[in-house]
Amino acid sequence: MANVIEMEGVEDRALKTYAEKAYLDYSMYVILDRALPHIGDGLKPVQRRIVYAMSELSLSFNSKHKKSAGTIGDVLGKFHPHGDSACYEAMVLMAQPFSYRYPIVDGQGNWGSPDDPKSFAAMRYTEARLAQYSQTLLQEVGLGTVEWVPNFDNTLKEPMTLPARLPNLLLNGTTGIAVGMATDIPPHNLNEVVRAAIHLIDKPSSDIDSVMAFIQGPDYPTDALIVSPRDEIKKAYETGHGSIRMRARFFKENNDIVVQSLPHQVSGAKIIEQIASQMQAKKLPMVEDLRDESDHENPTRLVITPRSNRVDTEQLMLHLFSTTDLERTYRVNMNVIGLNGRPQVKSLVEILTEWIVFRTDTVRKRSEYRLQKILDAIHILEGKLIAFLNIDEVIAIIRSEDEPKPVLMARFQLTDIQAEAILNLRLRHLAKLEEMKIRGELEELEKERAELEKLLSSDQRMKTLIKKELRADAKIHGDERRSQLQRVQPAAVIDQNSLMPSESITIILSDKGWIRAAKGHDIDPKTLSYKSGDQFYAAVKAKSNQQIALMDSTGRAYTLPAHSLPSARGQGEPLTGRLNPPAGATFVAILAVDEGEQFLFCSTAGYGFIGAVDQMVAKGKAGKALLSLPKGAKVIPPISIPKGDGVVVAIGTNEGRLLIFPLSELPELAKGKGNKMINIPTSRVASGEEYVVDVALLASGDAMTIVAGKRHTTIKAADQVHYHGERGRRGSKLPRGYQKIDHVISGDKS
């Protein structure tokens, strides 16, 4: 075993123990001294140090502005030895009226904009002083109300908390990320919070419902709407956890939609970008134009021009609320350092109640400090009065004694402080009027002393004073609510197809898988031009607001919006550019998705099932598996099922066999192989010897035409009985000459 060298002052500890303690110490530092606010003044340490340092520099609200660089240098040098950029950003945040509900710093210069809060100028260019609201935090600092602690190098003292006269934690809110915990407290309206605090002072046992009679919800520094239901806001206030939803405010101007205010910390430029990207992706066909008309008079004015006055404005805006930051959700996590010095998630009532305790303690300390000052002043004045009443003897003692102080103390029963005050008197203060002045001061101080003693001995008087001061501050700093609460229809993404104008179009699919759309239903797709080696394959009549379903040779289904297809003026574009079918697969069917319409999905192996066309709708480029194919089988294009009862399936094979059975014998499935419709040995399907040639659906009374080469014959409904049978049978042979079936066609009523 290696020898361990022991050195004085060196501690031998396991790396695990050391790392664990170091990390926990760091965690507690970040939680308590960086990221979380104190319930008393609602400030984080860096904010508190900035505000206190500015007050020490005499940068009050009625002083001149001073370069921010000088202020930040003072903060870093005396109280906050961290990065200058982070410290300056904290100062900027307190000065931005669009970030802080009640700004604490009054800035001059470029302090950022709502579009880009971090576009503020460097601190060497900006100037700052404290805002008037800061007085509610600093007014009582020198009145014995705060606990002073050493700064980082033990050369100065700084306040542990500021003696806030208002619950700043709720008024300005805060956000912060510590280690293992975070905080997100929304701002509130000053008048509402003051009324709620006064109510709690009068009725300490009040519940959240009675408090919410005064505080409707958060009040962000924006005119946007708060659209969270009251129950959600109440739950957030009760538990300290939740979320708040904000929605932009808009109005109609002629045919335009004008957005006049945005949710908190949402950039107008970002909104323009989000809407423009949807327009470029053809997801907002009902919007014709978008522009930003914001200026100095109208800080937010985003104009959306619909394509026509038939566009449903409310429906369009609900879509935009759902897909852009025009509606935004803010987290609520009221995690705060309490009066016990510990972080904890608190409810709204707990925060207000605890702040009232803090405020009561602050007012008590202030009153006790003032009372002690008065008692000291009275004590000195009483000594001076004794001196004036015995002025000749006092003068004689001072002139005759080498040490007059102890003689004066012994002769007139004075204290050391009183004797020192008498000895420090100037000759000009020995006038007769000075005695009258002292008596007047004594009378006033005794009166104030009596009032303070009554205050400190009565809880009711203390409550009355706190309420009076709250009302006075609310009168100076209070304002109307900015973020109005409103019940609204929930935001929802609108189906893009429903937003499209319903125009008749014909979708053409070529043999090589090229697709295009032509306006109208009267076009002959066979007359269109095709690329060399390509030709017409299939077409479907649809509406421009429909979805188009496609099926490939492997049985996979795909969906494309009809309005997104290229115009038939050209030769279209290959489907493989939009979809990702399996290698070697070709497209065999094209359908218009009509809600509720049913189709027969089947294969040449003689298996099939009934399914809704809606089941073909697939989101991704890779589509989805719909029809499973046995070995050797191929897809038969889906067949639309006619309305009514008594529909039968007519299925013919290359062996000249025909079977007719009721459609009702087939199951309705979402996907799969389906059930056996006609009996074809699996081995013959796999080898390609026998397979289904065609399938037709006949409504009750329909005739049926069999096409075999150039020959065709029509079988009336009454003559079809010969081919009727149970599903899954082999079927009956057709007459000689018609056994090489090409098509089975349903005809007119016979």
Side-chain angles (χ1 to χ4, degrees):
M1 187 175 179
N3 293 328
V4 178
I5 300 174
E6 294 187 3
M7 298 177 64
E8 188 177 350
V10 176
E11 185 180 352
D12 186 12
R13 297 176 64 188
L15 180 60
K16 176 181 180 297
T17 307
Y18 171 78
E20 184 177 314
K21 184 178 185 304
Y23 184 71
L24 286 173
D25 288 347
Y26 168 72
S27 302
M28 290 307 296
Y29 165 73
V30 173
I31 291 168
L32 298 177
D33 205 39
R34 186 177 293 184
L36 299 189
H38 190 276
I39 199 166
D41 56 14
L43 299 175
K44 300 178 191 177
V46 64
Q47 297 169 327
R48 187 179 301 118
R49 288 163 180 164
I50 290 169
V51 172
Y52 177 67
M54 291 181 76
S55 73
E56 288 295 285
L57 290 169
S58 299
L59 293 175
S60 62
F61 70 94
N62 51 11
S63 69
K64 282 187 175 182
H65 291 80
K66 180 182 176 181
K67 279 289 183 187
S68 302
T71 303
I72 294 301
D74 209 63
V75 174
L76 300 183
K78 292 180 178 178
F79 306 111
H80 197 71
H82 296 282
D84 60 335
S85 59
C87 187
Y88 179 50
E89 194 167 329
M91 181 180 177
V92 168
L93 196 69
M94 292 191 290
Q96 291 176 334
F98 48 83
S99 294
Y100 255 48
R101 183 63 180 83
Y102 300 96
I104 299 174
V105 175
D106 176 18
Q108 189 168 274
N110 176 13
W111 290 79
S113 66
D115 262 357
D116 187 3
K118 296 199 174 183
S119 63
F120 50 86
M123 57 185 167
R124 61 183 176 273
Y125 299 120
T126 61
E127 297 177 341
R129 66 183 179 189
L130 289 168
Q132 186 177 8
Y133 174 80
S134 67
Q135 290 301 104
T136 64
L137 300 169
L138 296 164
Q139 193 171 332
E140 299 172 359
V141 166
L143 302 180
T145 55
V146 300
E147 184 178 343
W148 298 89
V149 294
N151 68 338
F152 64 92
D153 61 359
N154 207 20
T155 58
L156 295 168
K157 297 285 186 180
E158 63 175 309
M160 184 175 284
T161 57
L162 295 178
R165 292 170 60 91
L166 294 168
N168 181 61
L169 177 70
L170 290 174
L171 301 185
N172 275 318
T174 190
T175 60
I177 300 175
V179 178
M181 59 177 63
T183 183
D184 288 278
I185 302 173
H188 292 78
N189 182 268
L190 193 152
N191 287 332
E192 292 180 7
V193 171
V194 164
R195 286 196 291 266
I198 291 172
H199 175 75
L200 272 174
I201 291 171
D202 290 332
K203 298 179 180 178
S205 59
S206 298
D207 59 8
I208 187 63
D209 287 312
S210 58
V211 170
M212 284 188 70
F214 303 96
I215 301 178
Q216 306 170 45
D219 186 21
Y220 292 89
T222 172
D223 296 330
L225 301 172
I226 293 177
V227 297
S228 296
R230 187 180 188 278
D231 289 345
E232 285 184 16
I233 298 174
K234 179 182 175 182
K235 185 179 178 182
Y237 281 158
E238 275 183 319
T239 63
H241 289 291
S243 61
I244 300 293
R245 280 186 294 120
M246 289 201 82
R247 181 177 288 186
R249 192 193 293 267
F250 70 94
F251 64 92
K252 287 202 72 175
E253 187 176 82
N254 299 324
N255 191 42
D256 291 337
I257 301 167
V258 180
V259 177
Q260 65 185 112
S261 60
L262 297 172
H264 183 47
Q265 293 180 331
V266 169
S267 161
K270 186 178 180 183
I271 295 293
I272 292 288
E273 182 183 335
Q274 289 174 334
I275 298 175
S277 65
Q278 290 192 48
M279 292 172 68
Q280 289 170 1
K282 298 183 178 179
K283 292 183 178 179
L284 283 176
M286 75 299 295
V287 175
E288 183 177 34
D289 189 25
L290 173 69
R291 57 190 183 275
D292 187 352
E293 296 182 355
S294 305
D295 54 26
H296 183 70
E297 292 184 2
N298 301 289
T300 300
R301 184 179 168 86
L302 310 181
V303 182
I304 302 167
T305 304
R307 194 166 293 277
S308 73
N309 56 11
R310 294 192 302 274
V311 173
D312 188 331
T313 301
E314 293 294 331
Q315 193 179 39
L316 170 59
M317 291 307 295
L318 287 175
H319 171 77
L320 293 177
F321 290 143
S322 180
T323 56
T324 70
D325 282 347
L326 284 172
E327 181 172 309
R328 192 168 177 182
T329 300
Y330 301 86
R331 190 174 65 163
V332 175
N333 179 25
M334 298 199 287
N335 193 4
V336 61
I337 298 172
L339 297 181
N340 59 2
R342 296 179 180 178
Q344 184 183 345
V345 176
K346 300 179 185 289
S347 68
L348 177 66
V349 174
E350 287 173 332
I351 287 175
L352 269 175
T353 302
E354 199 161 329
W355 181 84
I356 290 168
V357 172
F358 169 82
R359 181 61 189 156
T360 303
D361 185 54
T362 301
V363 174
R364 187 174 296 281
K365 286 179 180 177
R366 184 191 74 193
S367 302
E368 289 172 348
Y369 177 82
R370 176 59 183 162
L371 179 60
Q372 189 58 51
K373 289 286 185 183
I374 288 171
L375 291 174
D376 292 343
I378 288 173
H379 183 63
I380 290 171
L381 287 173
E382 285 175 342
K384 287 183 178 180
L385 189 59
I386 290 171
F388 275 103
L389 293 174
N390 302 277
I391 189 66
D392 294 334
E393 190 175 353
V394 168
I395 292 172
I397 291 172
I398 292 172
R399 291 187 66 185
S400 62
E401 297 291 338
D402 293 334
E403 293 289 337
K405 188 175 182 180
V407 177
L408 287 172
M409 291 172 64
R411 172 67 184 85
F412 299 109
Q413 281 77 48
L414 300 174
T415 64
D416 185 270
I417 294 171
Q418 288 174 322
E420 190 67 35
I422 291 169
L423 291 171
N424 288 332
L425 278 173
R426 294 182 179 182
L427 289 174
R428 72 177 64 174
H429 292 153
L430 299 179
K432 179 66 178 174
L433 289 174
E434 194 68 26
E435 179 186 338
M436 296 172 62
K437 183 180 177 182
I438 289 172
R439 289 184 184 279
E441 284 183 28
L442 271 172
E443 187 178 342
E444 288 179 9
L445 289 173
E446 286 289 356
K447 190 175 179 182
E448 188 177 352
R449 170 189 176 180
E451 289 296 323
L452 286 171
E453 286 176 344
K454 285 180 185 177
L455 173 68
L456 290 167
S457 62
S458 170
D459 289 342
Q460 189 57 47
R461 285 176 180 268
M462 184 68 72
K463 289 179 179 179
T464 302
L465 176 62
I466 293 170
K467 290 189 292 183
K468 180 182 177 182
E469 290 178 349
L470 283 171
R471 290 191 184 100
D473 287 334
K475 191 173 182 179
I476 297 171
H477 305 289
D479 57 6
E480 293 299 317
R481 166 174 278 276
R482 291 193 61 184
S483 304
Q484 298 298 323
L485 284 84
Q486 189 169 314
R487 296 181 66 181
V488 295
Q489 187 177 346
V493 178
I494 303 172
D495 179 11
Q496 297 299 314
N497 298 323
S498 66
L499 297 174
M500 286 298 301
S502 181
E503 298 174 349
S504 298
I505 57 172
T506 302
I507 313 296
I508 302 106
L509 177 66
S510 78
D511 194 49
K512 300 293 184 184
W514 285 60
I515 195 167
R516 49 187 153 166
K519 289 186 177 181
H521 285 169
D522 54 353
I523 189 169
D524 183 359
K526 294 179 181 178
T527 62
L528 298 176
S529 65
Y530 293 86
K531 297 184 80 68
S532 178
D534 200 2
Q535 61 183 349
F536 168 75
Y537 177 76
V540 64
K541 294 177 180 178
K543 296 289 185 181
S544 57
N545 61 348
Q546 281 185 293
Q547 293 273 79
I548 300 302
L550 297 126
M551 200 168 186
D552 70 13
S553 55
T554 68
R556 295 187 72 80
Y558 308 83
T559 313
L560 289 173
H563 68 82
S564 70
L565 299 177
S567 170
R569 292 175 183 172
Q571 293 177 332
E573 61 183 57
L575 282 169
T576 50
R578 296 185 175 219
L579 306 173
N580 295 330
T586 57
F587 292 94
V588 298
I590 180 169
L591 306 169
V593 177
D594 193 359
E595 188 177 348
E597 187 175 3
Q598 289 190 311
F599 282 80
L600 172 61
F601 298 99
C602 54
S603 68
T604 58
Y607 287 85
F609 64 88
I610 298 169
V613 71
D614 306 23
Q615 292 160 359
M616 296 182 72
V617 175
K619 292 183 179 179
K621 287 185 174 183
K624 69 176 183 180
L626 182 68
L627 180 64
S628 301
L629 298 175
K631 186 178 179 182
K634 296 179 181 178
V635 174
I636 295 175
I639 305 159
S640 178
I641 297 175
K643 302 291 183 183
D645 299 326
V647 177
V648 295
V649 180
I651 180 168
T653 71
N654 65 325
E655 292 289 320
R657 293 185 175 276
L658 179 67
L659 177 66
I660 300 175
F661 64 89
L663 177 68
S664 58
E665 293 185 9
L666 286 176
E668 290 190 23
L669 302 175
K671 63 178 180 178
K673 182 172 70 172
N675 285 12
K676 185 180 288 188
M677 298 191 296
I678 191 168
N679 188 9
I680 302 176
T682 305
S683 59
R684 291 177 65 81
V685 173
S687 64
E689 294 178 57
E690 189 174 352
Y691 51 87
V692 173
V693 175
D694 200 10
V695 179
L697 296 179
L698 310 176
S700 179
D702 276 359
M704 175 179 58
T705 299
I706 304 296
V707 179
K710 294 182 180 179
R711 310 177 82 181
H712 66 275
T713 182
T714 300
I715 305 173
K716 294 182 179 180
D719 300 328
Q720 294 169 13
V721 179
H722 176 68
Y723 301 100
H724 281 207
E726 294 179 2
R727 177 186 61 78
R729 298 291 187 182
R730 282 288 283 163
S732 302
K733 279 276 190 178
L734 284 162
R736 190 177 299 276
Y738 292 98
Q739 293 181 359
K740 291 186 178 181
I741 304 173
D742 289 326
H743 297 292
V744 179
I745 303 171
S746 60
D748 298 330
K749 302 282 182 185
S750 57

